[in-house]
Amino acid sequence: MTGRVRRQRGESALGAIAVLALALYALFIVTPVLMSAWKSLTDENPLLAHARFVGVSNYTDMLHDDALKSSLTFTLVTALAVTAVANAAGIGFALLLNKTSLSYRVMRTVAFLPQVLSGVIVGFVWRYILAQDGVLNHLLLSTGLIGRPVTWLGSPHLAMFSVGLVAAWVLTGFTTVVHLAALQSVPVELYQAATVDGAGRWARFRRITLPMVAPGTTISVTISLITTLKLYDIIAALTSGGPANSTQSTALYIINLAFTDDRFGYASAVAMLLLVVSAAIALTVTGLLRRREVDL
C-alpha cells in the first residue's frame, strides 16, 4: 500500500468522523434549541390536548414577571461573584501546588475532586454541613467563635451567601487545574532571568506569571461564568430556591415553570432569554479578556 493511498484513507476517516460529530451536534444541540424556540411561541401545556400559537406574548409577559426579574438578578450577581472568587482562589491554589513531588500531585487530585462530584450530591452534603444543627455550627460553637447556631440556609442573605460559597468551592477545583496547566507551560528560565535582574516575587508574578497564564484565565473565567449562569442542581438540593425564592436561579425557575406549573411554552421563552443573556455575556467577557491578553 503506497503512502498516497494511506493518506487518502486517513483523510476519508477524518471526514467521516467530522460528519458524525456535526450530525451529533445538530441532533443534540441545534435541534433542541430550535424546538425550544418554536415552543416559546406557543402556550404548550402537557395537560392540554393541543398547543396554540401565541406569537411573542410569552416574551411580553416576561416584562411583568417579578419572579423572573428576581431570579435573573440573583443569577447574574451570583455568576459574577462566584467567577471572581473561584478564579482568584484557583490562581492561588495553582501557585501553591505548582510542584512536581508526589504529595503535590496527590493534593492536585484532591483539589479537583469537587468538580467531578454530582451537583446534587454536593448540594445534599453541604445542606448537612450548613444546617442549624450541622457540622459547621458545631465546629464554630465548640471553638467559641459564635454564641448560638447560625441559620446559614434560613435567612435570604445568608442563604444567597451559602449558595455562592458552595458554587465557588466546586468551581475552584476546575479553575485550579486550568491555571496549573498554564503555569506549568511557563519556562523556568524566565523566572531565573528576572531573579538575576533583581525582580521580587510580586514583580515576577505581575510581569511573568499573569501574562503567561492569561489565555488560561480567559478559558477559566468564560467557562466559570457559563457554568454559574445555568446553575440549578446544587441550588435545588441545597435550598430548593428558598427561603422566599431568594436563591432561585433562572435555570431553577425554568424547571419550576415547566414541571411544576406545566407552562412549557412560557418556560421555553425564559430558556431562550437565558440562552441569549449567557451568550452575550460569554462573548463580551471573552472579547475583553483576549484584548487584555494583548495589553499584558
Side-chain angles (χ1 to χ4, degrees), residues 149-218:
V150 177
T151 55
W152 297 102
L153 304 176
S155 66
H157 288 99
L158 279 177
M160 293 164 70
F161 170 78
S162 299
V163 168
L165 176 71
V166 176
W169 177 74
V170 172
L171 272 177
T172 297
F174 168 74
T175 59
T176 299
V177 170
V178 172
H179 286 104
L180 194 55
L183 274 177
Q184 291 181 343
S185 67
V186 181
V188 179
E189 292 78 10
L190 288 178
Y191 292 109
Q192 293 172 341
T195 304
V196 170
D197 291 340
R201 286 189 176 186
W202 170 249
R204 293 199 299 271
F205 177 76
R206 172 69 183 84
R207 300 296 179 187
I208 299 175
T209 303
L210 276 184
M212 296 299 286
V213 303
T217 302
T218 300

Side-chain angles (χ1 to χ4, degrees), residues 14-63:
L14 288 175
I17 293 173
V19 169
L20 177 62
L22 287 173
L24 291 174
Y25 183 81
L27 180 63
F28 293 107
I29 303 295
V30 177
T31 302
V33 170
L34 293 177
M35 289 177 64
S36 183
W38 165 249
K39 289 180 184 295
S40 71
L41 302 175
T42 70
D43 64 348
E44 182 166 333
N45 184 320
L47 302 179
L48 302 177
H50 303 287
R52 290 184 302 115
F53 180 78
V54 295
V56 296
S57 66
N58 284 328
Y59 291 95
T60 55
D61 288 347
M62 285 193 284
L63 298 174

Side-chain angles (χ1 to χ4, degrees), residues 123-131 133-136 238:
F124 279 122
V125 169
W126 275 95
R127 186 170 182 166
Y128 173 73
I129 294 173
L130 297 172
D133 58 348
V135 176
L136 182 59
L238 185 63

Side-chain angles (χ1 to χ4, degrees), residues 74-113:
F74 169 71
T75 301
L76 293 175
V77 171
T78 303
L80 292 174
V82 168
T83 299
V85 171
N87 280 276
I91 292 176
F93 282 123
L95 290 170
L96 290 174
L97 299 176
N98 190 24
K99 310 288 182 185
T100 56
S101 66
L102 177 61
S103 58
Y104 282 96
R105 291 202 294 271
V106 172
M107 284 191 281
R108 285 179 216 161
T109 305
V110 172
F112 190 65
L113 274 180

Side-chain angles (χ1 to χ4, degrees), residues 194-247:
T195 304
V196 170
D197 291 340
R201 286 189 176 186
W202 170 249
R204 293 199 299 271
F205 177 76
R206 172 69 183 84
R207 300 296 179 187
I208 299 175
T209 303
L210 276 184
M212 296 299 286
V213 303
T217 302
T218 300
I219 295 171
S220 178
V221 168
T222 305
I223 294 180
S224 299
L225 266 176
I226 294 172
T227 302
T228 316
L229 285 170
K230 62 180 184 179
L231 184 68
Y232 80 95
D233 48 359
I234 292 175
I235 299 174
L238 185 63
T239 65
S240 301
N245 292 332
S246 59
T247 60

